[in-house]
Amino acid sequence: MAKTIAINAGSSSLKWTLYEMPAEETIASGIVERIGLDNSIFTIKYGEGKKYEDVLDINNHEIAVELLLEKLDDLGVLTDINEIEGVGHRVVAGGEIFSESSLITDEVIEQIESLNDLAPLHNPANVTGIRAFKKVLPNITSVAVFDTSFHQTMPAVNYLYSLPYEYYEDFDARKYGAHGTSHQFVAERAAEILDKPFEDLKIITCHLGNGASITAVENGKSIDTSMGFTPLAGVTMGTRTGDIDASLIPYLMNRLELTDVQDMIDIFNNQSGLKGISGVSSDMRDLEAAEAEGNERAEIALRIFEDRVRNYVAQYMVKMEGADAIVFTAGIGENAPETRQNIINNFKFLGIELDEEKNNVRGKERIISTDDSKVKVILIPTDEELVIARDVEYFKNLAN
Ligand code: AMP
């Protein structure tokens, strides 16, 4: 049976999901963590609730891929590694080169590497994953799926910064956005739920996870999104600032006695957001618990998060002159009813309202607005790996 594996490679990790295609059935999933360090952790979930776990030293991604295939064979998940006919790789930055997914060739790998400056942490790691699979399974259909592609339809008015125009022309300094596969997946699903053509709808998608972004999808296309040149911009996130005044960079560097601007950017990426404000945690569950115990900084962190998301939703509603649906997805969007309620509460004056009972749900696809709400609010679990597997299937079919 034909199988496709969706890969999300990090600098020291390899996250994967194995699908039976075209049935879109998940066969197994797992993660290899701490690659290149001592005591790498190897986890496979398969069958009905079965789990395999091992701790061993895995020196690089190539060895991780070899071990993974061997183990899938040993566990009987695969009868033969040649059952895997396709691999899809998540790539974070596709710049202006990739407005859609692409078959991976040597030239494509070079192009992805040429975009390393746009995602210095992610793109090199993604290429490591690509090369590892190329080495171990050289002849299967291999596809790169970009987080930025879906947003390549944004008009210049929305992707340009108010900077000297030459910086865009000469240095590619513009908004690219991220989470594109997720925004596209849930927006298309919303159209199916509403039973209307995707091309006729105005949808605002809120991907609220540890990373968070909001997208305006008009007539089936992303026309604006909250993340920017990199995923640092937009709403408050688990550990990222979201939008801030650039003048804070020299001011804080001075106060903190930092000389390397990268150290400042690291603080904006890793020590800020919900974690930085609350001093408690980057994790929504911890913040909810701390708020319940009366922790004021956890409370203000939660209110700031809701406020920034709400601002973007309002902005995009005006930009599109209305909306047919507002979608919530990802860890927080799917699992935090109170956060959803607090975000939507302010839209009552526009006739947009959540049904308290319907909203009291976690992780299940459902319309959560009242029957007469002017805009449908929908909870849709995202599935970025499935989008990757579908894109591989598309290229496999083209080749046959
Ligand atoms: P993601 O990056 O999509 O995996 O989302 C991670 C975020 O979702 C973290 O802030 C989690 O605390 C949050 N999350 C996951 N499950 C829950 C839950 N049951 N209630 C509240 N937040 C949750």
PDB file of all heavy atoms in Angstrom, residues 3 19 45 49 70 119 121 125 150 167 188 207 209 211 229 237 256 290 298 326 334 354 363 381:
ATOM      1  N   LYS A   3       2.428   4.678   0.860  1.00  0.00           N
ATOM      2  CA  LYS A   3       2.496   5.505   2.073  1.00  0.00           C
ATOM      3  C   LYS A   3       3.289   6.784   1.789  1.00  0.00           C
ATOM      4  O   LYS A   3       4.202   6.792   0.962  1.00  0.00           O
ATOM      5  CB  LYS A   3       3.174   4.741   3.200  1.00  0.00           C
ATOM      6  CG  LYS A   3       2.518   3.377   3.440  1.00  0.00           C
ATOM      7  CD  LYS A   3       2.424   3.038   4.862  1.00  0.00           C
ATOM      8  CE  LYS A   3       1.649   1.790   5.187  1.00  0.00           C
ATOM      9  NZ  LYS A   3       1.291   0.855   4.162  1.00  0.00           N
ATOM     10  N   TYR A  19       1.333   8.478   6.514  1.00  0.00           N
ATOM     11  CA  TYR A  19      -0.052   8.324   6.034  1.00  0.00           C
ATOM     12  C   TYR A  19      -0.169   7.203   5.019  1.00  0.00           C
ATOM     13  O   TYR A  19       0.744   6.976   4.220  1.00  0.00           O
ATOM     14  CB  TYR A  19      -0.513   9.607   5.330  1.00  0.00           C
ATOM     15  CG  TYR A  19      -0.716  10.786   6.240  1.00  0.00           C
ATOM     16  CD1 TYR A  19       0.318  11.705   6.418  1.00  0.00           C
ATOM     17  CD2 TYR A  19      -1.917  10.988   6.908  1.00  0.00           C
ATOM     18  CE1 TYR A  19       0.147  12.808   7.241  1.00  0.00           C
ATOM     19  CE2 TYR A  19      -2.090  12.081   7.734  1.00  0.00           C
ATOM     20  CZ  TYR A  19      -1.060  12.984   7.895  1.00  0.00           C
ATOM     21  OH  TYR A  19      -1.234  14.062   8.712  1.00  0.00           O
ATOM     22  N   LYS A  45       4.437   6.427  17.723  1.00  0.00           N
ATOM     23  CA  LYS A  45       3.076   6.020  18.106  1.00  0.00           C
ATOM     24  C   LYS A  45       2.483   5.294  16.908  1.00  0.00           C
ATOM     25  O   LYS A  45       2.533   5.818  15.781  1.00  0.00           O
ATOM     26  CB  LYS A  45       2.221   7.240  18.424  1.00  0.00           C
ATOM     27  CG  LYS A  45       2.573   7.893  19.731  1.00  0.00           C
ATOM     28  CD  LYS A  45       1.598   9.012  20.012  1.00  0.00           C
ATOM     29  CE  LYS A  45       2.062   9.853  21.176  1.00  0.00           C
ATOM     30  NZ  LYS A  45       1.435  11.163  21.179  1.00  0.00           N
ATOM     31  N   GLY A  49      -3.112   2.812  19.810  1.00  0.00           N
ATOM     32  CA  GLY A  49      -2.592   3.258  21.108  1.00  0.00           C
ATOM     33  C   GLY A  49      -1.249   2.677  21.496  1.00  0.00           C
ATOM     34  O   GLY A  49      -0.845   2.754  22.644  1.00  0.00           O
ATOM     35  N   GLU A  70      14.070   1.628   9.759  1.00  0.00           N
ATOM     36  CA  GLU A  70      14.356   0.292  10.275  1.00  0.00           C
ATOM     37  C   GLU A  70      13.330  -0.096  11.343  1.00  0.00           C
ATOM     38  O   GLU A  70      12.773  -1.181  11.328  1.00  0.00           O
ATOM     39  CB  GLU A  70      15.744   0.361  10.915  1.00  0.00           C
ATOM     40  CG  GLU A  70      16.557  -0.907  10.864  1.00  0.00           C
ATOM     41  CD  GLU A  70      17.921  -0.608  11.473  1.00  0.00           C
ATOM     42  OE1 GLU A  70      18.765  -0.004  10.782  1.00  0.00           O
ATOM     43  OE2 GLU A  70      18.119  -0.926  12.679  1.00  0.00           O
ATOM     44  N   ALA A 119      14.809  32.812   7.499  1.00  0.00           N
ATOM     45  CA  ALA A 119      14.452  31.904   8.616  1.00  0.00           C
ATOM     46  C   ALA A 119      15.715  31.202   9.071  1.00  0.00           C
ATOM     47  O   ALA A 119      15.899  30.008   8.841  1.00  0.00           O
ATOM     48  CB  ALA A 119      13.393  30.900   8.164  1.00  0.00           C
ATOM     49  N   LEU A 121      16.888  30.039  11.776  1.00  0.00           N
ATOM     50  CA  LEU A 121      16.826  28.864  12.642  1.00  0.00           C
ATOM     51  C   LEU A 121      16.212  27.679  11.907  1.00  0.00           C
ATOM     52  O   LEU A 121      16.583  26.534  12.135  1.00  0.00           O
ATOM     53  CB  LEU A 121      15.975  29.154  13.889  1.00  0.00           C
ATOM     54  CG  LEU A 121      16.499  30.225  14.837  1.00  0.00           C
ATOM     55  CD1 LEU A 121      15.557  30.387  16.012  1.00  0.00           C
ATOM     56  CD2 LEU A 121      17.892  29.839  15.333  1.00  0.00           C
ATOM     57  N   ALA A 125      17.729  23.811   9.017  1.00  0.00           N
ATOM     58  CA  ALA A 125      17.295  22.543   9.616  1.00  0.00           C
ATOM     59  C   ALA A 125      16.387  21.785   8.647  1.00  0.00           C
ATOM     60  O   ALA A 125      16.497  20.565   8.493  1.00  0.00           O
ATOM     61  CB  ALA A 125      16.555  22.803  10.919  1.00  0.00           C
ATOM     62  N   PHE A 150       1.122  30.217   0.930  1.00  0.00           N
ATOM     63  CA  PHE A 150      -0.283  30.630   0.896  1.00  0.00           C
ATOM     64  C   PHE A 150      -0.400  32.154   0.943  1.00  0.00           C
ATOM     65  O   PHE A 150      -1.342  32.729   0.395  1.00  0.00           O
ATOM     66  CB  PHE A 150      -1.035  29.993   2.068  1.00  0.00           C
ATOM     67  CG  PHE A 150      -2.510  30.300   2.112  1.00  0.00           C
ATOM     68  CD1 PHE A 150      -3.332  30.023   1.028  1.00  0.00           C
ATOM     69  CD2 PHE A 150      -3.086  30.856   3.251  1.00  0.00           C
ATOM     70  CE1 PHE A 150      -4.697  30.299   1.067  1.00  0.00           C
ATOM     71  CE2 PHE A 150      -4.449  31.129   3.312  1.00  0.00           C
ATOM     72  CZ  PHE A 150      -5.253  30.853   2.215  1.00  0.00           C
ATOM     73  N   TYR A 167      14.697  48.860  -0.299  1.00  0.00           N
ATOM     74  CA  TYR A 167      15.019  47.769   0.631  1.00  0.00           C
ATOM     75  C   TYR A 167      14.214  46.519   0.276  1.00  0.00           C
ATOM     76  O   TYR A 167      14.664  45.396   0.522  1.00  0.00           O
ATOM     77  CB  TYR A 167      14.736  48.165   2.095  1.00  0.00           C
ATOM     78  CG  TYR A 167      15.556  49.320   2.606  1.00  0.00           C
ATOM     79  CD1 TYR A 167      15.330  49.834   3.881  1.00  0.00           C
ATOM     80  CD2 TYR A 167      16.559  49.885   1.827  1.00  0.00           C
ATOM     81  CE1 TYR A 167      16.074  50.897   4.360  1.00  0.00           C
ATOM     82  CE2 TYR A 167      17.296  50.956   2.299  1.00  0.00           C
ATOM     83  CZ  TYR A 167      17.048  51.468   3.558  1.00  0.00           C
ATOM     84  OH  TYR A 167      17.776  52.509   4.024  1.00  0.00           O
ATOM     85  N   GLU A 188     -10.208  26.475   4.029  1.00  0.00           N
ATOM     86  CA  GLU A 188     -10.907  25.607   3.062  1.00  0.00           C
ATOM     87  C   GLU A 188     -11.962  24.758   3.763  1.00  0.00           C
ATOM     88  O   GLU A 188     -13.063  24.561   3.260  1.00  0.00           O
ATOM     89  CB  GLU A 188      -9.908  24.697   2.330  1.00  0.00           C
ATOM     90  CG  GLU A 188      -9.121  25.449   1.259  1.00  0.00           C
ATOM     91  CD  GLU A 188      -8.059  24.587   0.583  1.00  0.00           C
ATOM     92  OE1 GLU A 188      -7.905  23.408   0.953  1.00  0.00           O
ATOM     93  OE2 GLU A 188      -7.363  25.130  -0.311  1.00  0.00           O
ATOM     94  N   HIS A 207      -4.864  31.248  14.005  1.00  0.00           N
ATOM     95  CA  HIS A 207      -4.027  30.116  14.413  1.00  0.00           C
ATOM     96  C   HIS A 207      -3.369  30.516  15.725  1.00  0.00           C
ATOM     97  O   HIS A 207      -2.421  31.296  15.736  1.00  0.00           O
ATOM     98  CB  HIS A 207      -2.980  29.817  13.329  1.00  0.00           C
ATOM     99  CG  HIS A 207      -2.038  28.705  13.685  1.00  0.00           C
ATOM    100  ND1 HIS A 207      -2.056  27.478  13.055  1.00  0.00           N
ATOM    101  CD2 HIS A 207      -1.060  28.625  14.614  1.00  0.00           C
ATOM    102  CE1 HIS A 207      -1.125  26.699  13.592  1.00  0.00           C
ATOM    103  NE2 HIS A 207      -0.510  27.378  14.532  1.00  0.00           N
ATOM    104  N   GLY A 209      -1.479  29.113  18.662  1.00  0.00           N
ATOM    105  CA  GLY A 209      -0.718  28.069  19.346  1.00  0.00           C
ATOM    106  C   GLY A 209       0.405  28.753  20.094  1.00  0.00           C
ATOM    107  O   GLY A 209       0.301  29.937  20.417  1.00  0.00           O
ATOM    108  N   GLY A 211       3.162  29.544  18.736  1.00  0.00           N
ATOM    109  CA  GLY A 211       3.267  30.626  17.751  1.00  0.00           C
ATOM    110  C   GLY A 211       1.843  30.977  17.339  1.00  0.00           C
ATOM    111  O   GLY A 211       0.998  30.087  17.301  1.00  0.00           O
ATOM    112  N   PHE A 229       8.092  39.814   8.261  1.00  0.00           N
ATOM    113  CA  PHE A 229       9.321  39.382   7.590  1.00  0.00           C
ATOM    114  C   PHE A 229       9.725  38.020   8.151  1.00  0.00           C
ATOM    115  O   PHE A 229      10.190  37.142   7.432  1.00  0.00           O
ATOM    116  CB  PHE A 229      10.402  40.440   7.852  1.00  0.00           C
ATOM    117  CG  PHE A 229      11.741  40.108   7.276  1.00  0.00           C
ATOM    118  CD1 PHE A 229      11.942  40.027   5.906  1.00  0.00           C
ATOM    119  CD2 PHE A 229      12.833  39.896   8.116  1.00  0.00           C
ATOM    120  CE1 PHE A 229      13.196  39.726   5.376  1.00  0.00           C
ATOM    121  CE2 PHE A 229      14.092  39.593   7.591  1.00  0.00           C
ATOM    122  CZ  PHE A 229      14.266  39.510   6.224  1.00  0.00           C
ATOM    123  N   MET A 237       2.766  36.144  21.555  1.00  0.00           N
ATOM    124  CA  MET A 237       2.803  34.676  21.458  1.00  0.00           C
ATOM    125  C   MET A 237       3.357  34.073  22.736  1.00  0.00           C
ATOM    126  O   MET A 237       3.632  34.800  23.693  1.00  0.00           O
ATOM    127  CB  MET A 237       3.646  34.269  20.252  1.00  0.00           C
ATOM    128  CG  MET A 237       3.102  34.852  18.979  1.00  0.00           C
ATOM    129  SD  MET A 237       4.091  34.455  17.548  1.00  0.00           S
ATOM    130  CE  MET A 237       4.034  36.052  16.735  1.00  0.00           C
ATOM    131  N   LEU A 256      20.471  46.938  28.751  1.00  0.00           N
ATOM    132  CA  LEU A 256      20.867  45.567  29.114  1.00  0.00           C
ATOM    133  C   LEU A 256      22.365  45.323  28.872  1.00  0.00           C
ATOM    134  O   LEU A 256      22.860  44.216  29.115  1.00  0.00           O
ATOM    135  CB  LEU A 256      20.046  44.549  28.294  1.00  0.00           C
ATOM    136  CG  LEU A 256      18.551  44.487  28.589  1.00  0.00           C
ATOM    137  CD1 LEU A 256      17.801  43.748  27.490  1.00  0.00           C
ATOM    138  CD2 LEU A 256      18.309  43.801  29.932  1.00  0.00           C
ATOM    139  N   ALA A 290      -2.573  29.848  36.953  1.00  0.00           N
ATOM    140  CA  ALA A 290      -2.024  30.934  37.786  1.00  0.00           C
ATOM    141  C   ALA A 290      -3.056  32.043  37.964  1.00  0.00           C
ATOM    142  O   ALA A 290      -3.198  32.608  39.054  1.00  0.00           O
ATOM    143  CB  ALA A 290      -0.749  31.484  37.145  1.00  0.00           C
ATOM    144  N   ALA A 298      -0.139  36.947  35.404  1.00  0.00           N
ATOM    145  CA  ALA A 298      -0.706  35.931  34.500  1.00  0.00           C
ATOM    146  C   ALA A 298      -1.999  36.477  33.900  1.00  0.00           C
ATOM    147  O   ALA A 298      -2.265  36.320  32.694  1.00  0.00           O
ATOM    148  CB  ALA A 298      -0.978  34.636  35.264  1.00  0.00           C
ATOM    149  N   ILE A 326     -15.200  33.459  11.300  1.00  0.00           N
ATOM    150  CA  ILE A 326     -13.969  33.602  12.077  1.00  0.00           C
ATOM    151  C   ILE A 326     -13.634  32.196  12.557  1.00  0.00           C
ATOM    152  O   ILE A 326     -14.491  31.518  13.139  1.00  0.00           O
ATOM    153  CB  ILE A 326     -14.170  34.540  13.290  1.00  0.00           C
ATOM    154  CG1 ILE A 326     -14.559  35.946  12.821  1.00  0.00           C
ATOM    155  CG2 ILE A 326     -12.910  34.583  14.156  1.00  0.00           C
ATOM    156  CD1 ILE A 326     -15.062  36.856  13.941  1.00  0.00           C
ATOM    157  N   GLU A 334      -8.023  25.837  19.722  1.00  0.00           N
ATOM    158  CA  GLU A 334      -8.884  24.650  19.777  1.00  0.00           C
ATOM    159  C   GLU A 334      -9.307  24.301  21.198  1.00  0.00           C
ATOM    160  O   GLU A 334     -10.331  23.656  21.397  1.00  0.00           O
ATOM    161  CB  GLU A 334      -8.127  23.435  19.185  1.00  0.00           C
ATOM    162  CG  GLU A 334      -7.903  23.550  17.689  1.00  0.00           C
ATOM    163  CD  GLU A 334      -6.915  22.495  17.170  1.00  0.00           C
ATOM    164  OE1 GLU A 334      -6.820  21.420  17.772  1.00  0.00           O
ATOM    165  OE2 GLU A 334      -6.252  22.788  16.154  1.00  0.00           O
ATOM    166  N   LEU A 354     -20.893  34.278  20.592  1.00  0.00           N
ATOM    167  CA  LEU A 354     -20.684  32.842  20.792  1.00  0.00           C
ATOM    168  C   LEU A 354     -21.836  32.250  21.589  1.00  0.00           C
ATOM    169  O   LEU A 354     -22.419  32.920  22.427  1.00  0.00           O
ATOM    170  CB  LEU A 354     -19.378  32.594  21.555  1.00  0.00           C
ATOM    171  CG  LEU A 354     -18.065  32.865  20.831  1.00  0.00           C
ATOM    172  CD1 LEU A 354     -16.892  32.342  21.647  1.00  0.00           C
ATOM    173  CD2 LEU A 354     -18.061  32.234  19.447  1.00  0.00           C
ATOM    174  N   GLY A 363     -11.019  20.885  21.026  1.00  0.00           N
ATOM    175  CA  GLY A 363     -10.449  20.018  19.997  1.00  0.00           C
ATOM    176  C   GLY A 363     -11.425  19.351  19.049  1.00  0.00           C
ATOM    177  O   GLY A 363     -11.077  18.376  18.381  1.00  0.00           O
ATOM    178  N   PRO A 381      -9.988  21.969  14.160  1.00  0.00           N
ATOM    179  CA  PRO A 381      -8.634  21.477  14.433  1.00  0.00           C
ATOM    180  C   PRO A 381      -7.791  21.529  13.164  1.00  0.00           C
ATOM    181  O   PRO A 381      -8.257  21.140  12.088  1.00  0.00           O
ATOM    182  CB  PRO A 381      -8.863  20.034  14.887  1.00  0.00           C
ATOM    183  CG  PRO A 381     -10.262  20.024  15.396  1.00  0.00           C
ATOM    184  CD  PRO A 381     -11.016  20.983  14.506  1.00  0.00           C
TER     185      PRO A 381
END
